[in-house]
Structure formats: structure tokens, C-alpha cells
Amino acid sequence: MTRFTTNDLAFSGYSTTVDSNKNHETPDLNYVNKTDEKNVTDFCNAFLENYNVAQTKANFQKVETFLQHPYLEHAVCSAHLSDWIASNWIKRVL
């Protein structure tokens, strides 16, 4: 499995703050902080793996772009985000 890093993100301006209490814990992907680069990176990697999408940088950045969609502006639940992205993956909603 290819693991993309924060260097592979298409957008800039994300927060790089890491909660020192959670440095060694498994990330909580039930909640997605779309302003944190590490959280976005983890979500995008998990989406590619969970939905058996080809693990390319282009697809990684496509997931990231979907997270910026106006429809998902206030969405933070990983399941809701994943379901919406999966259902719109082949549509031209970007």
C-alpha cells in the first residue's frame, strides 16, 4: 500500500499543529479536521485503501479536492464524508 504524505497534498494553508497528547495514538478518523494537514492526509490515505481506489497521487489529491467541495463545508464525520465522496467519485461534481 502506498502511503502519501503531507508533501503530496494539492492545497496549502493547512494547520500543521499536532496535539501533543495524541502524537502516539492511532488517528481518530471518525472526525475529520479539514484544516489540519495530518488529518486530511490520514483521511485521504484511508479512503483510497477502504474503497480499493488506485493508489495514485492523482487519486489522493482527488479525495483532498472532494473534501473542499462546498456541499461538505460543514461535514466532519468520516463516514458521511467517505459515503459522499464514494457516491460522487465518477460524477463531475468538482
Side-chain angles (χ1 to χ4, degrees):
M1 172 180 79
T2 304
R3 289 295 291 179
F4 296 97
T5 69
T6 57
N7 294 329
D8 296 310
L9 293 169
F11 297 98
S12 60
Y14 292 109
S15 168
T16 58
T17 306
V18 177
D19 183 347
S20 60
N21 292 331
K22 293 187 177 185
N23 281 343
H24 303 290
E25 295 177 15
T26 303
D28 178 11
L29 291 180
N30 293 319
Y31 168 81
V32 180
N33 178 349
K34 296 181 284 184
T35 64
D36 180 75
E37 68 180 4
K38 177 79 168 93
N39 208 234
V40 169
T41 301
D42 290 342
F43 176 83
C44 293
N45 278 315
F47 181 89
L48 295 178
E49 182 179 345
N50 294 337
Y51 286 87
N52 292 323
V53 176
Q55 296 188 11
T56 64
K57 185 174 178 178
N59 282 341
F60 174 82
Q61 291 178 343
K62 183 175 179 178
V63 177
E64 178 191 8
T65 301
F66 270 116
L67 287 176
Q68 305 297 322
H69 194 278
Y71 179 80
L72 299 175
E73 181 178 0
H74 300 292
V76 295
C77 174
S78 176
H80 174 72
L81 293 167
S82 293
D83 288 347
W84 190 86
I85 293 170
S87 67
N88 289 284
W89 187 257
I90 59 171
K91 298 176 186 177
R92 297 187 181 266
V93 297
L94 295 177

